[in-house]
């Protein structure tokens, strides 16, 4: 499977209307592309996880706008959306004794490529394991 290590930004946002719009508008105005996004909410704040085309530029921009930003390395996996692919991927990671801390992704249509974002306990080992998996 094709995979690459990328930088993810996690942004804490106050949980009220317009905060996501403000953040995404600031990013768009700098011609930075959001390649993946996840939003987790609770009563007091939301956590946005994004993978962007220019993570350093985006982080600097968001910090200058008063957003709280944390960086982390993740693995972005390009995977074909067919039955059993996630099972094959996660079984290989499990056999290597690597913990998947969280994941997010989406697919447009069965049979097409999708991107799956993985935060794992051992980034380098997971990269080797995933890169060795042959697509079926």
């Amino acid at each position: 499977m094709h995979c690459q290590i990328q930088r993810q930004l996690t942004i804490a946002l106050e949980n009220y209307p317009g905060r996501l719009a403000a953040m995404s508008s600031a990013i768009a105005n700098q011609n930075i592309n959001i390649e993946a996004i996840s939003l987790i909410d609770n009563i007091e704040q939301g956590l946005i996880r994004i993978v962007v085309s220019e993570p350093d530029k985006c982080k600097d921009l968001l910090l200058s706008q008063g957003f709280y930003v944390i960086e982390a390395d993740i693995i972005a996996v390009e995977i074909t959306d067919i039955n059993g692919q996630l099972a094959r991927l996660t079984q290989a990671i499990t056999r290597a004794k690597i913990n998947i801390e969280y994941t997010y992704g989406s697919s447009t249509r069965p049979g097409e490529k999708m991107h799956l974002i993985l935060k794992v306990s051992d980034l380098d080992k997971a990269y080797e394991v995933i890169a060795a998996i042959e697509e079926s």
Side-chain angles (χ1 to χ4, degrees):
M1 291 182 184
H2 181 304
C3 62
Q4 62 183 4
I5 296 173
Q6 290 185 292
R7 180 64 87 190
Q8 171 189 266
L9 303 176
T10 300
I11 302 98
L13 292 179
E14 299 86 355
N15 197 0
Y16 63 84
R19 290 305 288 160
L20 180 58
M23 184 199 78
S24 59
S25 294
I27 293 170
N29 289 339
Q30 293 299 310
N31 296 315
I32 299 169
N33 186 44
I34 297 174
E35 299 170 355
I37 186 169
S38 170
L39 168 63
I40 302 165
D41 71 327
N42 65 33
I43 294 170
E44 297 165 1
Q45 71 177 7
L47 272 179
I48 306 287
R49 291 186 172 121
I50 56 174
V51 176
V52 296
S53 58
E54 298 177 71
D56 292 334
K57 180 179 176 183
C58 188
K59 179 185 176 189
D60 291 344
L61 167 71
L62 293 174
L63 288 172
S64 75
Q65 301 267 324
F67 293 98
Y68 179 74
V69 182
I70 299 171
E71 296 177 276
D73 287 331
I74 52 86
I75 297 181
V77 182
E78 186 176 275
I79 187 170
T80 303
D81 181 13
I82 58 173
N83 190 34
Q85 287 290 75
L86 181 60
R88 289 180 63 231
L89 173 67
T90 56
Q91 288 168 359
I93 292 171
T94 298
R95 282 192 298 275
K97 299 188 180 343
I98 300 167
N99 184 44
I100 299 171
E101 297 170 9
Y102 58 82
T103 184
Y104 56 97
S106 65
S107 176
T108 54
R109 290 182 178 77
E112 293 187 5
K113 296 284 185 188
M114 65 175 286
H115 285 94
L116 185 66
I117 305 300
L118 298 168
K119 177 75 167 78
V120 294
S121 59
D122 188 332
L123 191 71
D124 294 330
K125 188 174 179 182
Y127 178 85
E128 290 176 16
V129 167
I130 295 167
I133 300 171
E134 292 192 27
E135 286 254 18
S136 57

